[in-house]
Amino acid sequence: MYSKRLIITTLTALFLNLASSAFCETYYLDAVNGDDSNSGTSNSPWRTVAKAQSVVQPGDKVILSNGDYDAFTPPNSIYDGDATQSLADTTIHWITWQAKPGHTPTFNAIYLEREGNKYFLGYWLKGLKFHWLSTKNIVALNIENCEVIGCNDSIDTAYGGLSFNSSSNIYVADSKIHFIRDNGVSISNSCHVTVANCDVYDIGVDHFTLRTEYSDCVNIRIIGNTIRNTMQWNSSAHPDGIQCYASSGNGFRNCVIAGNKMYNMGVQGIFTSAINGVFADGVIENNLIYDCGSSTLNIANTSNLIFRNNTVFGYSAFSSSCTNLSVYNNIFYGSYILRDPYNLKYNDYNIYSQDYTDWLKGTEPHSYMYPREQLAAMLGELFTDAADDDYSIRSNCIAVDFCPQSPAAAYDDILDQPRDSLPDAGCYEIMGDTPPPVEEPLDEEPPAEEPPAAEEPPAEEPPAEEPPADDGTDDGTSNDIPHPRVQKQIDSVNRTMTCTDARYEMQIGRMDSLKDKISSRDMLQEKKDKKIDRIDTKIEKIDLSYERKMELLTQKLSQLVSSANTD
C-alpha cells in the first residue's frame, strides 16, 4: 500500500465520507432469477440495471448477485452535485453499486459517457467484474475492489481496460486490471484522477498511458500499484509501464508517480515525452523498477520534476529537454545518463553503477559510485536477495542513512514505513530511527592516546579509590580498575549494546504497528496476506540480525573484561 501523506487529504476525507454516508434505500438485482416487476427487495430482486437506475436516488445502495448484466450506461437524470465538487465533499450522497458478499456480478462493458458539459455522476462501484469501463465528461466516480479483464481468452482479442477521458474526481483502488490486449489504464484530458494499490498485469501495450490531446492533465496520481508482465500481442506494439505523452501545447501538471513496483515491461518502465507540451511540477518517488526492455527510464520534456528515493535497474536517461530537474537519493544499477548536467537543479546523494564511464556526467561529491568491475558486488552488498527479486536494502550497507532529510522528503517508503531523520537511499527504508554513532569501531583496536605535548602532569596524584569489599562472590570481573584505554572500549561496547537494544525495540514496535495498520485496511485479502507475510519475514530478519549483533558485542565485551582482568 502507499497510503501516504502524498495521497492528498481529500482522499482520506473521501473514505470517511463513503463510510459515514447514510444510505436512503437498499435495492437488490439478480440477473438470473430477478424480475423487473418485483419490489427490488432481497427476497424479490429486480433483474436489470436499467430498472434500478429508474428508481435509485442519491444515497441509495444497489446489491448485485451473480449473473451477466450486459452493458451499464449512465442514467438520463442529472443527480445532485456539480462538476466542481471534490470527492471529499461531505454533501455528496453516493449511489453505490456493490456485489453481494460471495458474488461476482459481471458486466460486458460500463459506458459512462456524455456529450457536452461535465456531468455529475456520483457512482461508487464495488466488487464488480467487467471487461471495459469508459468515461467522458463524468465527475465523481469511485471504483473499488473490482476486476477488469479482457473479454476473450486470447490476448490478441482480449479487448478491455479502463479509459477516462475529459473526466475528473475519479478514484480507483484495490482492483485487478489484467489480460488486456491494448492499454490497461488510459487517462486523457482529465483532472484529479487517482489509481492506487491496484495490480495491473498481463497487458498488451501500455499498462498506463496518459495523454493531453486538447487539454491538460492535472493532479493525476499513480500510487502504490504493482505494474507487471507485458504480453506483447503485436510485434509493432511499443509497451511501456507508464507512458506520459503531451501534445498540442498541453501538458501534465502536479502529477505524481509513487510507491509502485514495476517489472517485466516490454520496452520501457516510465516514459515522459511531448510535442511542445511538458510534464511540469511532478514527482516520481519511492518506485522499484526492474527487468524492463530497452529502457527502464526515458525522461524528457519535464519542468521542475523531482525524481527521488527510487530504486532503478537498467538504462536510465534524463534528456537535455528537462529543465530545473532534481535527481537525488536514488539507487541506479545500469547506465545512468544525464545529457545536460548543467540544466539540473539538484543531482546529489545517489548511488549508481558506472556501467559506461564516458556517458555519466555531473557527478556530485555526496553521491557514491560503484565502478564497472564491481557491478556484481553492488547487488550483493546493497540488496537482501537480488537473485530472488528482493531489493530491500541490507542493514549494514552504504544505502542506510545515506541522505539528510533535507533534501530527501520524509514521506513513507514503498512499504508505508516512515523514513527516519537520515533517509536510506532507494525506495526502501530500514525501520527505526537513526541510532547515535558508535564512537569506536568494534573490529579494530583504537590507537593509544598520546598525552598533549604542552601539558604538564599534575603536582600531586589524587588518592586512589578503595576497591569494593570482597563479598565472597565471583561475577567474572575483576575489582581492579581497568586500563583507561580498555575502559574506553568497554564503555563504547556498552553504549553500542544500549543503542542496539533501543533500535531493535523500535523496529519491532513499528513492524507490529504496520501489521495492525494493514490488517485493518479494506483491501484484497490476497494482497493483505502478501504484505503481512513480507512484514513477518522482515521481523525474522530483524530478530536474526539483532541476535547476531548482540552475540558479537557480548563476545567483544567478554574479551575486553578478560583483558582488563589480566592487565
Side-chain angles (χ1 to χ4, degrees):
M1 295 282 287
Y2 195 85
S3 60
K4 308 279 177 262
R5 287 161 287 221
L6 190 62
I7 300 181
I8 54 177
T9 306
T10 54
L11 295 180
T12 303
L14 161 64
F15 278 117
L16 292 174
N17 183 34
L18 290 175
S20 62
S21 293
F23 296 109
C24 299
E25 298 288 348
T26 299
Y27 301 104
Y28 291 82
L29 292 186
D30 188 330
V32 178
N33 301 309
D35 192 308
D36 286 352
S37 64
N38 289 342
S39 60
T41 64
S42 59
N43 296 323
S44 181
W46 295 321
R47 185 181 186 88
T48 67
V49 170
K51 172 62 178 179
Q53 285 181 328
S54 69
V55 175
V56 295
Q57 296 296 316
D60 288 349
K61 177 188 282 189
V62 182
I63 307 296
L64 295 88
S65 296
N66 282 333
D68 186 353
Y69 290 84
D70 198 21
F72 191 132
T73 57
N76 293 323
S77 59
I78 302 289
Y79 292 131
D80 63 342
D82 60 64
T84 63
Q85 278 188 289
S86 164
L87 289 181
D89 192 329
T90 57
T91 64
I92 296 177
H93 297 288
W94 301 88
I95 296 176
T96 303
W97 302 83
Q98 180 174 338
K100 186 176 181 178
H103 289 238
T104 308
T106 302
F107 292 85
N108 179 44
I110 299 177
Y111 295 109
L112 304 174
E113 302 178 351
R114 301 287 292 221
E115 298 299 329
N117 296 328
K118 289 285 194 298
Y119 171 80
F120 184 88
L121 184 67
Y123 273 8
W124 180 21
L125 311 180
K126 188 172 183 179
L128 309 181
K129 180 178 179 180
F130 47 88
H131 304 307
W132 182 278
L133 183 144
S134 177
T135 74
K136 183 177 181 181
N137 293 324
I138 292 299
V139 176
L141 170 65
N142 296 284
I143 302 169
E144 186 180 358
N145 288 319
C146 289
E147 180 181 8
V148 186
I149 182 172
C151 60
N152 291 309
D153 294 333
S154 174
I155 188 63
D156 62 348
T157 57
Y159 294 96
L162 297 176
S163 178
F164 306 117
N165 183 18
S166 301
S167 297
S168 66
N169 295 345
I170 293 173
Y171 186 61
V172 184
D174 300 315
S175 297
K176 287 184 181 179
I177 304 162
H178 65 113
F179 202 72
I180 294 169
R181 174 184 187 269
D182 295 310
N183 299 315
V185 181
S186 300
I187 304 171
S188 56
N189 316 305
S190 296
C191 301
H192 312 300
V193 178
T194 295
V195 182
N197 309 318
C198 294
D199 195 2
V200 187
Y201 63 99
D202 293 350
I203 304 297
V205 188
D206 298 332
H207 287 61
F208 286 82
T209 183
L210 282 61
R211 291 286 189 271
T212 61
E213 294 140 335
Y214 48 84
S215 66
D216 289 349
C217 279
V218 180
N219 194 32
I220 309 299
R221 295 175 178 260
I222 302 172
I223 296 177
N225 304 285
T226 300
I227 304 169
R228 58 191 173 97
N229 297 353
T230 294
M231 298 183 68
Q232 193 165 337
W233 62 274
N234 187 324
S235 60
S236 64
H238 190 274
D240 298 331
I242 301 174
Q243 183 183 104
C244 305
Y245 191 81
S247 63
S248 305
N250 300 297
F252 302 93
R253 293 188 289 113
N254 303 113
C255 296
V256 175
I257 299 171
N260 303 288
K261 182 178 181 181
M262 185 184 309
Y263 60 93
N264 196 19
M265 294 294 101
V267 177
Q268 298 174 124
I270 299 177
F271 173 58
T272 67
S273 187
I275 300 174
N276 63 44
V278 68
F279 190 97
D281 303 316
V283 176
I284 300 176
E285 71 172 356
N286 286 328
N287 299 284
L288 171 62
I289 312 173
Y290 63 96
D291 285 354
C292 293
S294 60
S295 177
T296 303
L297 293 175
N298 191 350
I299 307 298
N301 301 99
T302 67
S303 174
N304 300 319
L305 173 66
I306 296 174
F307 189 93
R308 65 188 171 205
N309 302 334
N310 300 282
T311 301
V312 181
F313 291 77
Y315 177 94
S316 301
F318 295 85
S319 169
S320 58
S321 62
C322 298
T323 62
N324 215 26
L325 174 67
S326 298
V327 181
Y328 53 86
N329 209 38
N330 304 284
I331 298 176
F332 293 101
Y333 180 85
S335 303
Y336 169 41
I337 303 170
L338 298 168
R339 299 194 184 279
D340 186 359
Y342 305 105
N343 205 17
L344 294 172
K345 178 179 180 181
Y346 198 90
N347 176 40
D348 211 342
Y349 292 101
N350 296 299
I351 297 175
Y352 55 87
S353 62
Q354 191 170 359
D355 200 1
Y356 295 92
T357 56
D358 57 331
W359 285 4
L360 185 67
K361 301 177 181 178
T363 303
E364 297 295 335
H366 298 297
S367 294
Y368 184 87
M369 180 188 71
Y370 280 84
R372 185 189 305 180
E373 61 271 15
Q374 294 182 13
L375 290 185
M378 179 179 179
L379 294 179
E381 290 175 11
L382 289 183
F383 305 111
T384 300
D385 191 354
D388 196 32
D389 295 339
D390 184 353
Y391 296 107
S392 58
I393 59 174
R394 293 183 178 272
S395 59
N396 58 348
C397 73
I398 192 173
V400 175
D401 298 341
F402 190 71
C403 184
Q405 198 170 87
S406 177
Y411 294 133
D412 296 348
D413 76 348
I414 194 171
L415 295 179
D416 269 357
Q417 298 172 163
R419 294 189 180 270
D420 58 33
S421 58
L422 288 175
D424 303 337
C427 62
Y428 290 101
E429 178 79 11
I430 291 180
M431 296 292 288
D433 288 335
T434 303
V438 178
E439 292 184 8
E440 296 290 343
L442 299 179
D443 54 352
E444 297 180 6
E445 289 293 326
E449 294 185 2
E450 296 289 340
E455 188 175 298
E456 293 293 329
E460 291 185 12
E461 291 290 332
E465 294 183 7
E466 290 292 329
D470 187 357
D471 61 0
T473 62
D474 182 6
D475 62 358
T477 63
S478 170
N479 288 328
D480 295 333
I481 299 174
H483 187 281
R485 178 175 61 81
V486 177
Q487 185 61 54
K488 185 173 182 180
Q489 295 178 67
I490 291 174
D491 292 343
S492 176
V493 174
N494 281 324
R495 283 194 300 272
T496 303
M497 294 178 77
T498 300
C499 291
T500 301
D501 271 331
R503 178 162 185 164
Y504 171 76
E505 293 296 334
M506 186 173 295
Q507 286 177 318
I508 294 299
R510 289 193 175 182
M511 283 294 181
D512 289 340
S513 175
L514 184 59
K515 282 179 66 174
D516 292 341
K517 180 179 175 184
I518 290 174
S519 297
S520 65
R521 286 181 179 161
D522 185 11
M523 59 188 294
L524 294 173
Q525 188 62 44
E526 179 184 359
K527 195 165 186 178
K528 184 184 293 189
D529 291 342
K530 272 187 190 177
K531 288 184 176 293
I532 291 176
D533 288 345
R534 251 191 116 158
I535 295 172
D536 286 337
T537 301
K538 192 75 173 178
I539 289 175
E540 291 176 3
K541 292 178 180 178
I542 291 172
D543 286 339
L544 184 60
S545 175
Y546 170 75
E547 290 169 2
R548 288 176 176 172
K549 188 166 186 179
M550 291 301 288
E551 182 180 357
L552 292 173
L553 289 169
T554 302
Q555 291 175 0
K556 182 68 175 177
L557 185 61
S558 177
Q559 292 170 3
L560 290 171
V561 171
S562 177
S563 171
N565 289 341
T566 57
D567 282 348

